[in-house]
Amino acid sequence: MTIIVQILVLLLIFLSTVLVVGIPVTLASPGQWEQSKNLIYTGSGIWAGLVLITGLFNSFIT
């Protein structure tokens, strides 16, 4: 169970890094918001889901 939580945290860190770099670049680029809006919303939803799933799995570790 500990390995699963560690993998989930690793995925969360990786996705957080991608979003922290990608969202400001997308917003600063002219005309990119309309093209990348769905991708950013999807990435944010996956990030929120990973936070909840990681918390759920972490609650099972004693």
Side-chain angles (χ1 to χ4, degrees):
M1 188 64 94
T2 305
I3 298 294
I4 295 172
V5 173
Q6 290 176 347
I7 291 171
L8 286 171
V9 169
L10 181 66
L11 289 172
L12 189 60
I13 291 170
F14 176 73
L15 184 59
S16 296
T17 305
V18 168
L19 289 175
V20 162
V21 171
I23 290 175
V25 168
T26 301
L27 292 176
S29 302
Q32 290 294 318
W33 172 248
E34 290 81 18
Q35 296 173 354
S36 303
K37 181 172 41 174
N38 290 334
L39 184 62
I40 290 174
Y41 286 150
T42 302
S44 300
I46 292 171
W47 183 87
L50 269 174
V51 168
L52 294 174
I53 291 170
T54 303
L56 178 72
F57 274 94
N58 194 31
S59 67
F60 293 119
I61 297 177
T62 57

